[in-house]
Amino acid sequence: MPSTSIRKFDYDPSTRVLSVWFVASGKHYEFLDVPAEAFAAFKAAFAKGVYFNVYIRNRYAFRLAPGRAAGSSGG
């Protein structure tokens, strides 16, 4: 998954939480109540950063994930 803005992402279908780790800030955000279809489209998108900015950012509530390292595996 080459992206200049998104380092890693993960999705937990049981909680509908999309976790995204960013390259520049190194921060890990959790986007809440994201439908599985939205995650599938994000995963399939050629330009992850563009897709994120258009279809994820400002559309889903989010929180800064507490203390999980960028390399850790999510749900």
Side-chain angles (χ1 to χ4, degrees), residues 7-8 21-22 26-28 68-73:
R7 178 177 177 177
K8 176 184 171 181
W21 289 260
F22 292 93
K27 292 184 179 178
H28 168 200
R68 286 170 50 180
S72 70
S73 177

Side-chain angles (χ1 to χ4, degrees), residues 19-31:
S19 296
V20 180
W21 289 260
F22 292 93
V23 172
S25 67
K27 292 184 179 178
H28 168 200
Y29 288 87
E30 295 176 335
F31 293 84

Side-chain angles (χ1 to χ4, degrees), residues 8-70:
K8 176 184 171 181
F9 61 89
D10 194 13
Y11 181 71
D12 184 343
S14 66
T15 61
R16 294 172 43 119
V17 171
L18 172 64
S19 296
V20 180
W21 289 260
F22 292 93
V23 172
S25 67
K27 292 184 179 178
H28 168 200
Y29 288 87
E30 295 176 335
F31 293 84
L32 311 176
D33 203 27
V34 176
E37 299 80 16
F39 169 68
F42 176 53
K43 184 177 178 181
F46 177 75
K48 302 289 190 276
V50 172
Y51 186 92
F52 174 83
N53 285 331
V54 173
Y55 297 104
I56 306 293
R57 175 179 284 175
N58 298 326
R59 291 185 182 240
Y60 298 98
F62 67 90
R63 63 186 173 222
L64 184 59
R68 286 170 50 180

